[in-house]
Amino acid sequence: MPLGVVVRKTPGVTRWAKWCWKAVAVLPGAGQAHWKLLREEGGVQEFHAATVMLELHGAECEAYLSGLADKVPAIYVVMRSKNDPLDPLDVLVATASPFEAQDYTDNGEDIVEKVPMPEGLVAWVRDFADKYYEEEVFVKRRRDKKRIDIVEHGIGDARIQQLSDVYRAPKRQEPAA
């Protein structure tokens, strides 16, 4: 599903950050856009920054259900800063999986924003997850029959290559003169 990402630009609160960028909404079914100004009020601007595809995968159903169980279900928007004033952020991906979003936070370069999911999108993701979710069957691991509690102190030395006398201590080698 195409998903438009709305990004809000507000004045920075420190002298080191002139602007603060934050993903604040998603637009399900949006058309293509590239930093289209939607609204401006009191120095705050909202842009339709980009439209990305929201892809759902059957293997991620457990993650989707986990995200939908939150108090406020969310879409996670992943963005990366660029040094271009006309194109300040690159919207990489939007995902409904909190597990995938967590993976993007590991590199430290990406900005991951949690955006509330609209009601219709919640229903769409829930229907998909309910249809394709397969509970993983628990398989109890069986122990092998090898006894690991037997200890034989002093038997063998890894430095001795002979099998004839495992109790013999290794001899000290004298340096060649």
Side-chain angles (χ1 to χ4, degrees):
M1 172 185 291
L3 206 59
V5 177
V6 178
V7 176
R8 181 177 293 150
K9 175 185 175 184
T10 57
V13 293
T14 68
R15 62 181 162 164
W16 295 280
K18 189 173 182 178
W19 301 105
C20 179
W21 299 91
K22 183 175 174 68
V24 293
V26 290
L27 308 169
Q32 289 298 321
H34 187 73
W35 292 99
K36 180 180 177 185
L37 182 64
L38 298 176
R39 186 171 76 140
E40 186 171 12
E41 183 179 321
V44 176
Q45 298 173 327
E46 288 187 356
F47 296 92
H48 181 179
T51 300
V52 293
M53 292 300 289
L54 175 64
E55 296 181 6
L56 301 180
H57 301 280
E60 293 286 321
C61 287
E62 184 177 353
Y64 303 145
L65 292 172
S66 173
L68 292 173
D70 284 350
K71 188 174 183 179
V72 178
I75 291 289
Y76 298 87
V77 177
V78 181
M79 302 176 291
R80 188 170 291 157
S81 293
K82 293 166 51 174
N83 290 331
D84 184 1
L86 300 175
D87 191 12
L89 295 171
D90 192 18
V91 179
L92 302 176
V93 71
T95 181
S97 169
F99 303 164
E100 183 181 359
Q102 183 178 1
D103 290 342
Y104 279 102
T105 61
D106 291 341
N107 67 11
E109 292 180 15
D110 297 331
I111 303 165
V112 180
E113 297 284 349
K114 188 175 181 180
V115 178
M117 194 183 298
E119 296 278 331
L121 198 53
V122 169
W124 186 68
V125 173
R126 181 172 284 121
D127 288 346
F128 178 88
D130 289 343
K131 183 175 180 181
Y132 293 104
Y133 177 67
E134 294 178 12
E135 190 167 346
E136 194 172 319
V137 179
F138 175 74
V139 179
K140 186 172 181 178
R141 183 176 61 94
R142 296 185 182 269
R143 292 181 181 224
D144 55 5
K145 302 296 182 193
K146 184 177 179 182
R147 300 233 5 223
I148 59 170
D149 59 336
I150 300 173
V151 178
E152 297 179 8
H153 293 291
I155 294 183
D157 191 322
R159 296 172 289 175
I160 299 174
Q161 298 296 322
Q162 298 175 343
L163 296 175
S164 61
D165 188 1
V166 294
Y167 294 101
R168 183 177 61 169
K171 292 182 180 177
R172 182 173 221 197
Q173 293 181 349
E174 297 294 326

